[in-house]
Amino acid sequence: MDNARRNFLKLGTGAAAGTLMASPVAATTKILVPPPAAGRSALRLVTFSPQPGTAPRVGVVTAEGMVVDVGAAARANNMTLAFDPSSMLSLIAAGPQALAQAQRCAAYESTLSVNSVRLYAPIPVPQRNVYAVGWNYLEHFGESLTARAAKAKLPAHPVFFTKGTHTVNGPFDPIPFNPAVSTMIDWEGELAVIIGKRGTNVSESDAMNYVFGYSVINDTTARDMQVDHGGQWFKGKSLDGHGPIGPWIVPAADIDYNDLNLTTRVNGVVKQHINTRQMYFKVPRLIAELSLGLTLEPGDIIATGTPSGIGAARTPQEFLKPGDIMETEIDRIGTIRNEIRSVNS
């Protein structure tokens, strides 16, 4: 393996070690905890380390921006947890009882500020590829069509593809840029749906009962690889570290997914902005179609599609370059912020 490839992997494969590469909050970054909607404080579930060298564990971020270590709080209060407090996947799989226990822990005092801990992707090591949806906002469908296909009919079914597990990156981790790999890295801000229980052939009417919660994800994409590999999406979507997600998971009961403003910024300039009510295929339809003959598991991640405003569709085209700061924000959930960082060639 040449040095360029080795360094690219070292920077980008947070997922290879459970996104356990350091994801400290930079001194210039302040994590803003969104205010509660309609007076209700949403539960914010994180995977974090309180200090360098300590193992990641599940935490709850309070409305005041403090992080409660769920395992430590349970031990201090003689609470027997229904899940492994070092694993978000364990919490999700344990169901409503585990979520209720995490909610109880959120009431305990903490001296840890969210700005002083290391945050990782909420699910650092997904058990399976990230599911993703193409062309789920009409304007993006239109901007992605070639002139020849401009009169194409709107899709009758969602377009699905996957991103490899090693794409998963922390909410504040750098995204690797190596011109030997790709020079056309694009942004795609999206709402992420986290599945809460196993299901196959889930009906649309029952689909929301399978949603554990929501997060923010950016389906960062190498456009040149999409072209080079026959126009299919998997390779261009699956570079290591090109799927930052976080900063936490908000449970489904605490938020209305169908009325959230999604914004992508590059160096402070808005590139994408839309409300999730403009999704063409809503979350229940996505789950019903995806689960048809295909079993979904607790902790599965679905990236629900990006709006218009991608760099490849601009005139002239725009792509991310080393030093750029990409921010992906969904109100009432939070903001992830990722530097595009050059790797040694």
Side-chain angles (χ1 to χ4, degrees), residues 173-238:
D173 285 341
I175 294 174
F177 181 96
N178 186 338
V181 177
S182 172
T183 58
M184 299 174 67
I185 304 300
D186 206 347
W187 53 82
E188 291 199 16
E190 307 193 16
L191 173 70
V193 171
I194 313 300
I195 295 298
K197 63 180 181 179
R198 175 179 288 184
T200 309
N201 301 330
V202 176
S203 69
E204 196 168 340
S205 62
D206 194 33
M208 293 307 295
N209 291 321
Y210 288 79
V211 177
F212 176 81
Y214 305 100
S215 194
V216 181
I217 191 169
N218 197 295
D219 176 23
T220 318
T221 302
R223 299 297 181 195
D224 40 1
M225 283 192 166
Q226 284 184 278
V227 174
D228 293 345
H229 291 265
Q232 58 82 29
W233 294 350
F234 175 75
K235 179 62 179 178
K237 301 281 190 175
S238 289

Side-chain angles (χ1 to χ4, degrees), residues 261-342:
N261 290 316
L262 185 159
T263 306
T264 305
R265 293 181 291 271
V266 178
N267 300 326
V269 178
V270 173
K271 300 297 184 181
Q272 296 178 293
H273 182 72
I274 204 162
N275 190 284
T276 53
R277 73 171 68 94
Q278 294 176 256
M279 279 186 185
Y280 186 63
F281 295 109
K282 308 298 185 182
V283 171
R285 176 73 182 279
L286 295 177
I287 292 173
E289 292 252 5
L290 183 59
S291 70
L292 187 64
L294 186 159
T295 300
L296 299 178
E297 296 285 355
D300 278 351
I301 300 168
I302 304 174
T304 57
T306 199
S308 61
I310 59 172
R314 294 172 177 268
T315 305
Q317 291 184 322
E318 300 176 23
F319 297 107
L320 296 164
K321 60 186 183 300
D324 285 345
I325 303 297
M326 180 177 69
E327 295 176 299
T328 315
E329 177 180 4
I330 300 180
D331 67 345
R332 300 198 295 279
I333 299 180
T335 303
I336 62 176
R337 186 178 295 106
N338 305 93
E339 177 190 354
I340 311 305
R341 185 175 296 178
S342 180

Side-chain angles (χ1 to χ4, degrees), residues 67-83:
V67 182
V68 178
D69 182 328
V70 170
R75 290 190 296 272
N77 291 275
N78 297 315
M79 181 192 305
T80 301
L81 294 174
F83 61 96

Side-chain angles (χ1 to χ4, degrees), residues 18 20 45-60 67-73 75 83-89 91 112 117-124:
L20 303 186
L45 298 165
V46 294
T47 297
F48 81 104
S49 290
Q51 58 189 6
T54 58
R57 73 282 310 268
V58 174
V60 176
V67 182
V68 178
D69 182 328
V70 170
R75 290 190 296 272
F83 61 96
D84 176 357
S86 70
S87 169
M88 186 72 74
L89 281 173
L91 186 158
L112 293 172
V117 304
R118 296 184 183 276
L119 291 184
Y120 307 108
I123 302 174

